Structure formats: structure tokens, C-alpha cells
Amino acid sequence: MRAVTLFAPANLSCVEAEVPKIKDSNEVLIKVKACGVCGSDIPRVMIKGAHKMPIIIGHEFSGEIVETGESVSSFKVLDQVTAMPLIPCGKCEFCQIGKYNLCDDYLYYGSRIPGAMAQYIVVKESNLLKLPKNVDYESAAMTDPVSVALHAIGKANINAGQSAIVFGLGAIGLIAIQWLKILGCSEVIAIDIFQEKLDLAEKLGVDLTINAKNNNVIEAIMDYTHNKGADIVIELAGNKITQLQAIQSASKMGRVIYCGISYDDLLLPSKEVNKILRGELFVIGSWNSSIAPLPVNEWKTSLDFMDKGKIKVKPLISHRVKLEDCKEVFEMMYYKKEIFNKVLFIPDL
Ligand SMILES: [Zn+2]
Ligand SMILES: [Zn+2]
């Protein structure tokens, strides 16, 4: 089969590999139909490398089951599925209370074990979810960012009528604005530096967009919120400027949720520290997503909302690409040669 393989940082190519074999009886073999590029894949491929190399990358995917292990009971050949990419250890303190996303010793498809940017992948039954009727392979490959956005929004304890801001309109940001609306925020503000992404956010229902390239973001927010700031702020850009603006734009008792992976040091000036304590802000981290059943199975909920057409992911797809073009595609994204949202590798292309 063809497989996008990372040999070392910035050394990526599509190579001929053996179709993986089912080793444990609780595994299935999937023919991959779509595999998205995650925001985390770009630095992984271009700078940092993966935990283990060479490795087939890719963890946001969907496909059709073509073979099942002996003990697999809930899935069968021809089932259309997606999969949660994290395999928890099941033993650590966090696994014991069902916080699998915080597991101390996990495996991960596409960074620690072989991923899905290939024609086939072997996956454990416990990670699988069946696709509902109205969720096609391309949409299903985005269940991961939909769930990550839901997990972050879950930290906001939203009350209907509250206001919210999203910094950074990558795929997760464009989905987060939809969840905020669904969960009852009356005013949702979206901030980015690309007008194309702001235009898309407007189509997806935000009340105000601010282009940070040519506007004073904080002034615009304070204007719009009558100097109060927003009740909820979701930071997804992972950049020291927006990380600071997230605090500056929150209201008293506001909740600031950091979800964008950071590659920059943030200097927190005393003015903002004092704002956190005087305004009794909640500064919260959010990491990954979960298929644990409580409070809700975020993956199942995400698929349900996509099935009902309430969360729209199709407009986020900017590129459908071939496995063979992986090197050019990652360079395009890393060097920002084109404006992109979700880039999907389609093995059948
Ligand atoms: Zn991801
Ligand atoms: Zn664990």
C-alpha cells in the first residue's frame, strides 16, 4: 500500500509499505477513505518529529472495515467508521477516573503507532465509532476537531445569553463558534488575521468578526461589549499575542480557556495578572477530547450533531490531496503558500 511516512523532521514521503496485519483479536483493518491534517501535524512533520520514526502519520480519519479480529463483536466488515486516535493505558490514576485524555502513558495513532495517512490502518475496536447515516467519510474525518472543540467549550459552563470570543479560526475555531451558538451564546465574536476565514465564520453564524491585522482587537471588543468584555474566551491560535489578548478581552468572572498548543513564551504583565485576580477570572486549560461516557461521549455527540446538520464541517475543507503529494502539501501549509483550512488526504485519489 501507499503510506505517508515521516523519517525525520522535514523528511516526509509517500512510500510503498505492507498492508498492516491484525495482531490482536480486538483489532480491525480499515481501508482509509479520508485523513485530515491536524494543526499538530504541521510542526510534528516539519520541525519536531514524532515520538517514534519512521512512522506513518495521520490521526483524523474515516474508512471502511475490511477485516475484523476474532473477538471483535460490535463491528463487522463494510461498516463505515471513524476512530478516536488515543489508546489510554487504562491503569494510571487519570484512566481510573475516566479522564483518558490526561492518561500518563498513552499510545496515539499517527505519532506513537502507525497512523492513517495511508491506504489501510489497523485500529482497536474500543476506539471505533460507526458513522451515522448523514455523515460521509470526509465529514467523519473531522470528528476529531469537532470533539476537541466540544471538549474546550465544555469547560466554559455556558449559560444561555452569554457572550463569547474565539481567537484563531483554524478548523477547531470554525467549529467552536458553531458549538458556542448551539449551546446558547447570544454574541459570538471571531478573531483572525485572514479575511477569508473571517468571512467563513460569518457564514457559519458569528455576530462579529474582527480582523486583527488592521484593527485594534481589544478596542473593538470593548466597544462591542460596552466595556464589559466577554463572558467566555477560547484561545486557539496558540500565539503569545492572542494569549494575552484572551485575558484582556474577558469580563469579570469570565472564563478564559487555553486550547491552542503554544510554541512561544508568554510574558504575563502585572496589569493582566491583576485583572485575573481583581476580576476573579477563571483561566482554564483544555486538552484533546474523550470517548469516556460521562459527562457526554464527546465523539458520539459530535457525530450526532453532524448527522443532524447542526455542526457543519464541509465548508471547512479547503484542499483534497493525494498521498503522493504529501511533501508539497506540508510545505505549502508550513510556509503558508496558500490559505488553507482543513486539508484532507484522500487515498483513493
Ligand atoms: Zn488532531
Ligand atoms: Zn492512563
Short mmCIF file of all heavy atoms in Angstrom, two decimals, residues 93-156:
data_model
loop_
_atom_site.label_atom_id
_atom_site.label_comp_id
_atom_site.label_asym_id
_atom_site.label_seq_id
_atom_site.Cartn_x
_atom_site.Cartn_y
_atom_site.Cartn_z
N GLU A 93 -3.79 6.86 37.28
CA GLU A 93 -4.83 7.48 38.11
C GLU A 93 -5.91 8.14 37.27
O GLU A 93 -7.09 8.12 37.60
CB GLU A 93 -4.20 8.57 39.00
CG GLU A 93 -3.33 8.04 40.10
CD GLU A 93 -2.66 9.16 40.88
OE1 GLU A 93 -2.35 10.21 40.27
OE2 GLU A 93 -2.45 8.98 42.09
N PHE A 94 -5.49 8.76 36.16
CA PHE A 94 -6.45 9.51 35.34
C PHE A 94 -7.34 8.56 34.55
O PHE A 94 -8.53 8.79 34.41
CB PHE A 94 -5.71 10.51 34.45
CG PHE A 94 -4.93 11.49 35.28
CD1 PHE A 94 -3.58 11.31 35.53
CD2 PHE A 94 -5.59 12.55 35.89
CE1 PHE A 94 -2.89 12.19 36.34
CE2 PHE A 94 -4.90 13.43 36.71
CZ PHE A 94 -3.54 13.26 36.93
N CYS A 95 -6.75 7.47 34.06
CA CYS A 95 -7.57 6.46 33.38
C CYS A 95 -8.58 5.86 34.35
O CYS A 95 -9.72 5.59 33.98
CB CYS A 95 -6.68 5.35 32.82
SG CYS A 95 -5.87 5.81 31.28
N GLN A 96 -8.16 5.68 35.61
CA GLN A 96 -9.06 5.06 36.58
C GLN A 96 -10.30 5.90 36.85
O GLN A 96 -11.34 5.38 37.24
CB GLN A 96 -8.31 4.79 37.89
CG GLN A 96 -7.40 3.58 37.77
CD GLN A 96 -6.67 3.30 39.07
OE1 GLN A 96 -7.22 3.47 40.14
NE2 GLN A 96 -5.43 2.88 38.96
N ILE A 97 -10.20 7.23 36.62
CA ILE A 97 -11.41 8.04 36.80
C ILE A 97 -11.99 8.45 35.44
O ILE A 97 -12.79 9.39 35.33
CB ILE A 97 -11.17 9.28 37.69
CG1 ILE A 97 -10.07 10.18 37.10
CG2 ILE A 97 -10.83 8.87 39.11
CD1 ILE A 97 -10.10 11.60 37.65
N GLY A 98 -11.57 7.77 34.38
CA GLY A 98 -12.17 8.01 33.06
C GLY A 98 -11.67 9.24 32.33
O GLY A 98 -12.23 9.63 31.32
N LYS A 99 -10.60 9.87 32.85
CA LYS A 99 -10.03 11.04 32.17
C LYS A 99 -8.93 10.55 31.22
O LYS A 99 -7.74 10.82 31.43
CB LYS A 99 -9.46 12.03 33.20
CG LYS A 99 -10.50 12.61 34.13
CD LYS A 99 -11.15 13.83 33.49
CE LYS A 99 -12.15 14.47 34.44
NZ LYS A 99 -13.04 15.39 33.74
N TYR A 100 -9.38 9.84 30.18
CA TYR A 100 -8.41 9.21 29.28
C TYR A 100 -7.54 10.23 28.55
O TYR A 100 -6.40 9.95 28.21
CB TYR A 100 -9.14 8.33 28.27
CG TYR A 100 -10.00 7.28 28.91
CD1 TYR A 100 -11.35 7.17 28.61
CD2 TYR A 100 -9.45 6.39 29.84
CE1 TYR A 100 -12.15 6.21 29.22
CE2 TYR A 100 -10.24 5.43 30.46
CZ TYR A 100 -11.58 5.35 30.14
OH TYR A 100 -12.36 4.41 30.74
N ASN A 101 -8.08 11.43 28.32
CA ASN A 101 -7.30 12.44 27.60
C ASN A 101 -6.11 12.92 28.43
O ASN A 101 -5.21 13.56 27.91
CB ASN A 101 -8.19 13.63 27.21
CG ASN A 101 -8.82 14.31 28.40
OD1 ASN A 101 -9.29 13.64 29.32
ND2 ASN A 101 -8.83 15.62 28.41
N LEU A 102 -6.11 12.61 29.74
CA LEU A 102 -5.00 13.02 30.61
C LEU A 102 -4.09 11.84 30.96
O LEU A 102 -3.21 11.95 31.81
CB LEU A 102 -5.55 13.65 31.90
CG LEU A 102 -6.46 14.87 31.71
CD1 LEU A 102 -6.93 15.39 33.07
CD2 LEU A 102 -5.74 15.98 30.95
N CYS A 103 -4.27 10.72 30.29
CA CYS A 103 -3.50 9.49 30.57
C CYS A 103 -2.00 9.78 30.59
O CYS A 103 -1.47 10.51 29.77
CB CYS A 103 -3.82 8.44 29.51
SG CYS A 103 -2.82 6.95 29.68
N ASP A 104 -1.32 9.16 31.58
CA ASP A 104 0.13 9.34 31.73
C ASP A 104 0.94 8.55 30.71
O ASP A 104 2.10 8.86 30.47
CB ASP A 104 0.56 8.85 33.13
CG ASP A 104 0.17 9.84 34.21
OD1 ASP A 104 0.08 11.04 33.92
OD2 ASP A 104 -0.06 9.39 35.36
N ASP A 105 0.35 7.52 30.15
CA ASP A 105 1.16 6.59 29.35
C ASP A 105 0.33 6.03 28.18
O ASP A 105 0.01 4.86 28.15
CB ASP A 105 1.63 5.44 30.27
CG ASP A 105 2.61 4.53 29.56
OD1 ASP A 105 3.24 4.98 28.58
OD2 ASP A 105 2.71 3.36 29.96
N TYR A 106 -0.02 6.92 27.26
CA TYR A 106 -0.94 6.53 26.19
C TYR A 106 -0.21 6.22 24.89
O TYR A 106 0.95 6.59 24.70
CB TYR A 106 -1.95 7.65 25.96
CG TYR A 106 -1.32 8.97 25.56
CD1 TYR A 106 -1.06 9.27 24.22
CD2 TYR A 106 -0.96 9.92 26.52
CE1 TYR A 106 -0.47 10.47 23.85
CE2 TYR A 106 -0.37 11.12 26.16
CZ TYR A 106 -0.13 11.39 24.82
OH TYR A 106 0.46 12.56 24.46
N LEU A 107 -0.91 5.55 24.00
CA LEU A 107 -0.45 5.39 22.62
C LEU A 107 -1.34 6.26 21.74
O LEU A 107 -2.45 6.61 22.12
CB LEU A 107 -0.55 3.93 22.18
CG LEU A 107 0.40 2.96 22.90
CD1 LEU A 107 0.10 1.53 22.49
CD2 LEU A 107 1.86 3.32 22.59
N TYR A 108 -0.83 6.61 20.57
CA TYR A 108 -1.58 7.52 19.71
C TYR A 108 -1.33 7.15 18.26
O TYR A 108 -0.18 7.09 17.82
CB TYR A 108 -1.10 8.96 19.98
CG TYR A 108 -2.16 10.01 19.78
CD1 TYR A 108 -3.05 10.31 20.79
CD2 TYR A 108 -2.25 10.71 18.58
CE1 TYR A 108 -4.03 11.28 20.62
CE2 TYR A 108 -3.22 11.69 18.40
CZ TYR A 108 -4.11 11.97 19.43
OH TYR A 108 -5.07 12.93 19.26
N TYR A 109 -2.42 6.88 17.53
CA TYR A 109 -2.26 6.58 16.11
C TYR A 109 -1.67 7.80 15.40
O TYR A 109 -2.12 8.92 15.59
CB TYR A 109 -3.61 6.21 15.47
CG TYR A 109 -4.17 4.91 16.01
CD1 TYR A 109 -5.26 4.90 16.87
CD2 TYR A 109 -3.59 3.70 15.66
CE1 TYR A 109 -5.77 3.71 17.38
CE2 TYR A 109 -4.09 2.50 16.16
CZ TYR A 109 -5.17 2.51 17.02
OH TYR A 109 -5.66 1.34 17.52
N GLY A 110 -0.63 7.57 14.62
CA GLY A 110 -0.07 8.65 13.82
C GLY A 110 1.03 9.45 14.48
O GLY A 110 1.60 10.34 13.85
N SER A 111 1.34 9.16 15.78
CA SER A 111 2.51 9.80 16.36
C SER A 111 3.32 8.81 17.20
O SER A 111 4.53 8.93 17.32
CB SER A 111 2.14 11.03 17.19
OG SER A 111 1.52 10.67 18.40
N ARG A 112 2.66 7.82 17.80
CA ARG A 112 3.37 6.80 18.58
C ARG A 112 3.23 5.41 17.98
O ARG A 112 4.07 4.54 18.21
CB ARG A 112 2.87 6.81 20.03
CG ARG A 112 3.20 8.14 20.71
CD ARG A 112 2.55 8.30 22.06
NE ARG A 112 2.78 9.64 22.57
CZ ARG A 112 3.27 9.93 23.77
NH1 ARG A 112 3.57 8.98 24.61
NH2 ARG A 112 3.46 11.18 24.13
N ILE A 113 2.14 5.19 17.25
CA ILE A 113 1.93 3.95 16.50
C ILE A 113 1.41 4.33 15.11
O ILE A 113 0.95 5.46 14.92
CB ILE A 113 0.95 2.98 17.23
CG1 ILE A 113 -0.32 3.73 17.64
CG2 ILE A 113 1.61 2.35 18.44
CD1 ILE A 113 -1.38 2.83 18.25
N PRO A 114 1.49 3.39 14.12
CA PRO A 114 1.19 3.78 12.73
C PRO A 114 -0.18 4.44 12.55
O PRO A 114 -1.18 4.00 13.11
CB PRO A 114 1.26 2.44 11.99
CG PRO A 114 2.18 1.61 12.80
CD PRO A 114 1.93 2.00 14.23
N GLY A 115 -0.19 5.50 11.75
CA GLY A 115 -1.38 6.31 11.55
C GLY A 115 -2.11 6.01 10.26
O GLY A 115 -1.92 4.95 9.64
N ALA A 116 -2.94 6.97 9.84
CA ALA A 116 -3.95 6.71 8.81
C ALA A 116 -3.71 7.45 7.49
O ALA A 116 -4.57 7.42 6.62
CB ALA A 116 -5.32 7.07 9.35
N MET A 117 -2.56 8.11 7.35
CA MET A 117 -2.31 8.76 6.06
C MET A 117 -1.75 7.70 5.12
O MET A 117 -0.59 7.74 4.70
CB MET A 117 -1.35 9.93 6.24
CG MET A 117 -1.93 11.27 5.80
SD MET A 117 -0.88 12.62 6.31
CE MET A 117 -1.97 13.46 7.44
N ALA A 118 -2.59 6.72 4.84
CA ALA A 118 -2.18 5.54 4.09
C ALA A 118 -3.44 4.89 3.56
O ALA A 118 -4.54 5.32 3.87
CB ALA A 118 -1.43 4.58 5.01
N GLN A 119 -3.27 3.82 2.78
CA GLN A 119 -4.47 3.16 2.26
C GLN A 119 -5.18 2.31 3.31
O GLN A 119 -6.38 2.11 3.24
CB GLN A 119 -4.08 2.31 1.04
CG GLN A 119 -3.73 3.17 -0.17
CD GLN A 119 -3.36 2.32 -1.36
OE1 GLN A 119 -2.27 1.76 -1.41
NE2 GLN A 119 -4.26 2.22 -2.32
N TYR A 120 -4.40 1.81 4.30
CA TYR A 120 -5.00 0.96 5.34
C TYR A 120 -4.42 1.29 6.71
O TYR A 120 -3.28 1.75 6.81
CB TYR A 120 -4.73 -0.53 5.06
CG TYR A 120 -5.39 -1.02 3.79
CD1 TYR A 120 -4.70 -0.98 2.57
CD2 TYR A 120 -6.68 -1.53 3.81
CE1 TYR A 120 -5.29 -1.42 1.40
CE2 TYR A 120 -7.28 -1.98 2.64
CZ TYR A 120 -6.58 -1.92 1.45
OH TYR A 120 -7.18 -2.36 0.29
N ILE A 121 -5.21 1.01 7.75
CA ILE A 121 -4.72 1.13 9.13
C ILE A 121 -5.40 0.06 9.98
O ILE A 121 -6.57 -0.29 9.74
CB ILE A 121 -5.00 2.55 9.71
CG1 ILE A 121 -4.47 2.67 11.15
CG2 ILE A 121 -6.48 2.90 9.65
CD1 ILE A 121 -4.56 4.06 11.75
N VAL A 122 -4.67 -0.46 10.97
CA VAL A 122 -5.25 -1.38 11.94
C VAL A 122 -5.59 -0.59 13.20
O VAL A 122 -4.75 0.18 13.69
CB VAL A 122 -4.27 -2.53 12.27
CG1 VAL A 122 -4.72 -3.29 13.52
CG2 VAL A 122 -4.18 -3.50 11.09
N VAL A 123 -6.83 -0.76 13.70
CA VAL A 123 -7.30 0.02 14.85
C VAL A 123 -8.02 -0.89 15.84
O VAL A 123 -8.66 -1.87 15.45
CB VAL A 123 -8.29 1.13 14.37
CG1 VAL A 123 -8.87 1.90 15.54
CG2 VAL A 123 -7.60 2.09 13.42
N LYS A 124 -7.92 -0.55 17.12
CA LYS A 124 -8.62 -1.31 18.16
C LYS A 124 -10.12 -1.04 18.12
O LYS A 124 -10.55 0.10 17.93
CB LYS A 124 -8.09 -0.90 19.55
CG LYS A 124 -6.76 -1.50 19.87
CD LYS A 124 -6.48 -1.42 21.37
CE LYS A 124 -5.09 -1.89 21.69
NZ LYS A 124 -4.81 -3.27 21.24
N GLU A 125 -10.90 -2.07 18.38
CA GLU A 125 -12.36 -1.94 18.38
C GLU A 125 -12.83 -0.86 19.36
O GLU A 125 -13.75 -0.11 19.08
CB GLU A 125 -12.99 -3.29 18.75
CG GLU A 125 -14.51 -3.23 18.83
CD GLU A 125 -15.14 -4.55 19.26
OE1 GLU A 125 -14.46 -5.35 19.94
OE2 GLU A 125 -16.31 -4.78 18.91
N SER A 126 -12.15 -0.78 20.52
CA SER A 126 -12.59 0.16 21.56
C SER A 126 -12.47 1.62 21.11
O SER A 126 -13.04 2.51 21.72
CB SER A 126 -11.80 -0.06 22.84
OG SER A 126 -10.42 -0.07 22.55
N ASN A 127 -11.71 1.87 20.05
CA ASN A 127 -11.55 3.25 19.56
C ASN A 127 -12.53 3.62 18.45
O ASN A 127 -12.55 4.75 18.00
CB ASN A 127 -10.12 3.45 19.04
CG ASN A 127 -9.12 3.55 20.17
OD1 ASN A 127 -9.01 2.62 20.97
ND2 ASN A 127 -8.42 4.66 20.27
N LEU A 128 -13.32 2.64 17.99
CA LEU A 128 -14.14 2.87 16.80
C LEU A 128 -15.51 3.46 17.10
O LEU A 128 -16.09 3.21 18.16
CB LEU A 128 -14.38 1.53 16.08
CG LEU A 128 -13.16 0.83 15.48
CD1 LEU A 128 -13.60 -0.52 14.92
CD2 LEU A 128 -12.53 1.67 14.39
N LEU A 129 -16.02 4.23 16.15
CA LEU A 129 -17.41 4.71 16.18
C LEU A 129 -17.99 4.54 14.79
O LEU A 129 -17.32 4.84 13.80
CB LEU A 129 -17.47 6.18 16.57
CG LEU A 129 -17.00 6.53 17.98
CD1 LEU A 129 -15.64 7.17 17.93
CD2 LEU A 129 -18.00 7.44 18.66
N LYS A 130 -19.23 4.07 14.73
CA LYS A 130 -19.90 3.93 13.43
C LYS A 130 -20.39 5.29 12.95
O LYS A 130 -20.82 6.12 13.75
CB LYS A 130 -21.11 2.99 13.57
CG LYS A 130 -20.74 1.55 13.34
CD LYS A 130 -21.95 0.64 13.41
CE LYS A 130 -21.44 -0.74 13.82
NZ LYS A 130 -22.36 -1.55 14.55
N LEU A 131 -20.36 5.48 11.64
CA LEU A 131 -20.84 6.75 11.09
C LEU A 131 -22.36 6.73 11.01
O LEU A 131 -22.95 5.78 10.49
CB LEU A 131 -20.28 6.98 9.68
CG LEU A 131 -18.76 6.93 9.53
CD1 LEU A 131 -18.36 7.53 8.19
CD2 LEU A 131 -18.05 7.64 10.66
N PRO A 132 -23.00 7.80 11.50
CA PRO A 132 -24.45 7.91 11.31
C PRO A 132 -24.76 8.11 9.82
O PRO A 132 -23.86 8.41 9.03
CB PRO A 132 -24.83 9.16 12.11
CG PRO A 132 -23.62 9.58 12.85
CD PRO A 132 -22.44 8.95 12.20
N LYS A 133 -26.04 7.99 9.49
CA LYS A 133 -26.49 7.98 8.10
C LYS A 133 -26.00 9.19 7.28
O LYS A 133 -25.55 9.06 6.15
CB LYS A 133 -28.03 7.95 8.13
CG LYS A 133 -28.68 7.60 6.83
CD LYS A 133 -30.17 7.31 7.02
CE LYS A 133 -31.01 8.55 6.94
NZ LYS A 133 -31.78 9.05 7.97
N ASN A 134 -26.10 10.37 7.87
CA ASN A 134 -25.81 11.59 7.09
C ASN A 134 -24.38 12.10 7.22
O ASN A 134 -24.10 13.23 6.86
CB ASN A 134 -26.77 12.71 7.51
CG ASN A 134 -28.21 12.32 7.28
OD1 ASN A 134 -28.54 11.79 6.23
ND2 ASN A 134 -29.05 12.53 8.28
N VAL A 135 -23.50 11.29 7.81
CA VAL A 135 -22.11 11.73 7.95
C VAL A 135 -21.26 10.93 6.97
O VAL A 135 -21.10 9.72 7.12
CB VAL A 135 -21.61 11.54 9.40
CG1 VAL A 135 -20.15 11.95 9.52
CG2 VAL A 135 -22.47 12.36 10.36
N ASP A 136 -20.74 11.62 5.95
CA ASP A 136 -19.93 10.91 4.96
C ASP A 136 -18.48 10.82 5.43
O ASP A 136 -18.12 11.34 6.49
CB ASP A 136 -20.06 11.57 3.58
CG ASP A 136 -19.52 12.99 3.57
OD1 ASP A 136 -18.84 13.40 4.54
OD2 ASP A 136 -19.76 13.71 2.58
N TYR A 137 -17.66 10.17 4.62
CA TYR A 137 -16.27 9.93 5.04
C TYR A 137 -15.50 11.23 5.28
O TYR A 137 -14.72 11.34 6.22
CB TYR A 137 -15.54 9.08 4.00
CG TYR A 137 -15.97 7.63 3.98
CD1 TYR A 137 -16.43 7.04 2.81
CD2 TYR A 137 -15.88 6.85 5.12
CE1 TYR A 137 -16.81 5.70 2.78
CE2 TYR A 137 -16.25 5.51 5.11
CZ TYR A 137 -16.72 4.94 3.94
OH TYR A 137 -17.08 3.63 3.92
N GLU A 138 -15.71 12.21 4.42
CA GLU A 138 -14.95 13.46 4.57
C GLU A 138 -15.33 14.17 5.87
O GLU A 138 -14.47 14.63 6.61
CB GLU A 138 -15.21 14.38 3.37
CG GLU A 138 -14.58 13.88 2.08
CD GLU A 138 -14.67 14.89 0.96
OE1 GLU A 138 -15.40 15.90 1.11
OE2 GLU A 138 -14.02 14.67 -0.07
N SER A 139 -16.62 14.25 6.14
CA SER A 139 -17.06 14.89 7.39
C SER A 139 -16.57 14.09 8.59
O SER A 139 -16.08 14.66 9.58
CB SER A 139 -18.59 14.98 7.44
OG SER A 139 -19.07 15.71 6.34
N ALA A 140 -16.67 12.76 8.49
CA ALA A 140 -16.29 11.91 9.62
C ALA A 140 -14.82 12.06 9.97
O ALA A 140 -14.43 11.93 11.13
CB ALA A 140 -16.60 10.45 9.29
N ALA A 141 -14.00 12.35 8.96
CA ALA A 141 -12.56 12.54 9.22
C ALA A 141 -12.33 13.79 10.06
O ALA A 141 -11.22 14.02 10.53
CB ALA A 141 -11.79 12.61 7.91
N MET A 142 -13.37 14.60 10.25
CA MET A 142 -13.23 15.81 11.08
C MET A 142 -13.89 15.66 12.45
O MET A 142 -14.05 16.64 13.18
CB MET A 142 -13.77 17.01 10.32
CG MET A 142 -12.78 17.47 9.25
SD MET A 142 -13.31 18.94 8.39
CE MET A 142 -14.32 18.21 7.15
N THR A 143 -14.26 14.44 12.82
CA THR A 143 -14.86 14.23 14.15
C THR A 143 -13.87 14.63 15.24
O THR A 143 -14.27 15.10 16.31
CB THR A 143 -15.28 12.75 14.32
OG1 THR A 143 -15.96 12.32 13.15
CG2 THR A 143 -16.20 12.59 15.51
N ASP A 144 -12.58 14.44 14.98
CA ASP A 144 -11.57 14.81 15.99
C ASP A 144 -11.61 16.31 16.31
O ASP A 144 -11.84 16.68 17.47
CB ASP A 144 -10.18 14.35 15.51
CG ASP A 144 -9.08 14.64 16.52
OD1 ASP A 144 -9.02 13.95 17.54
OD2 ASP A 144 -8.31 15.58 16.30
N PRO A 145 -11.45 17.21 15.32
CA PRO A 145 -11.55 18.64 15.68
C PRO A 145 -12.92 19.04 16.24
O PRO A 145 -13.00 19.92 17.10
CB PRO A 145 -11.24 19.38 14.38
CG PRO A 145 -11.26 18.36 13.29
CD PRO A 145 -11.00 17.04 13.93
N VAL A 146 -14.00 18.39 15.79
CA VAL A 146 -15.33 18.72 16.34
C VAL A 146 -15.36 18.35 17.83
O VAL A 146 -15.87 19.11 18.66
CB VAL A 146 -16.46 17.98 15.57
CG1 VAL A 146 -17.82 18.28 16.20
CG2 VAL A 146 -16.47 18.39 14.10
N SER A 147 -14.76 17.21 18.17
CA SER A 147 -14.75 16.75 19.56
C SER A 147 -13.80 17.59 20.42
O SER A 147 -14.11 17.89 21.58
CB SER A 147 -14.32 15.28 19.63
OG SER A 147 -15.13 14.50 18.80
N VAL A 148 -12.67 17.97 19.85
CA VAL A 148 -11.72 18.81 20.60
C VAL A 148 -12.37 20.17 20.91
O VAL A 148 -12.24 20.70 22.02
CB VAL A 148 -10.40 19.00 19.80
CG1 VAL A 148 -9.52 20.07 20.42
CG2 VAL A 148 -9.66 17.67 19.70
N ALA A 149 -13.11 20.70 19.94
CA ALA A 149 -13.82 21.97 20.17
C ALA A 149 -14.89 21.79 21.25
O ALA A 149 -15.03 22.62 22.15
CB ALA A 149 -14.44 22.47 18.87
N LEU A 150 -15.62 20.69 21.19
CA LEU A 150 -16.67 20.43 22.18
C LEU A 150 -16.07 20.30 23.58
O LEU A 150 -16.62 20.81 24.56
CB LEU A 150 -17.44 19.15 21.81
CG LEU A 150 -18.52 18.71 22.79
CD1 LEU A 150 -19.59 19.78 22.97
CD2 LEU A 150 -19.17 17.40 22.32
N HIS A 151 -14.93 19.62 23.67
CA HIS A 151 -14.26 19.45 24.96
C HIS A 151 -13.88 20.81 25.55
O HIS A 151 -14.10 21.07 26.74
CB HIS A 151 -13.02 18.58 24.77
CG HIS A 151 -12.35 18.18 26.05
ND1 HIS A 151 -12.87 17.21 26.88
CD2 HIS A 151 -11.23 18.63 26.66
CE1 HIS A 151 -12.09 17.08 27.94
NE2 HIS A 151 -11.08 17.92 27.83
N ALA A 152 -13.34 21.69 24.70
CA ALA A 152 -12.95 23.03 25.17
C ALA A 152 -14.17 23.83 25.61
O ALA A 152 -14.17 24.46 26.67
CB ALA A 152 -12.20 23.77 24.06
N ILE A 153 -15.23 23.78 24.80
CA ILE A 153 -16.45 24.54 25.13
C ILE A 153 -17.07 23.99 26.41
O ILE A 153 -17.68 24.74 27.18
CB ILE A 153 -17.48 24.45 23.97
CG1 ILE A 153 -16.88 24.90 22.64
CG2 ILE A 153 -18.74 25.24 24.29
CD1 ILE A 153 -16.38 26.28 22.57
N GLY A 154 -16.90 22.70 26.64
CA GLY A 154 -17.42 22.09 27.86
C GLY A 154 -16.83 22.71 29.12
O GLY A 154 -17.43 22.66 30.20
N LYS A 155 -15.65 23.30 29.00
CA LYS A 155 -15.00 23.94 30.16
C LYS A 155 -15.62 25.31 30.45
O LYS A 155 -15.26 25.96 31.43
CB LYS A 155 -13.51 24.16 29.89
CG LYS A 155 -12.77 22.92 29.44
CD LYS A 155 -12.34 22.11 30.62
CE LYS A 155 -11.61 20.86 30.17
NZ LYS A 155 -11.52 19.87 31.23
N ALA A 156 -16.49 25.78 29.55
CA ALA A 156 -16.98 27.16 29.67
C ALA A 156 -18.22 27.27 30.56
O ALA A 156 -18.60 28.38 30.94
CB ALA A 156 -17.29 27.72 28.28
#
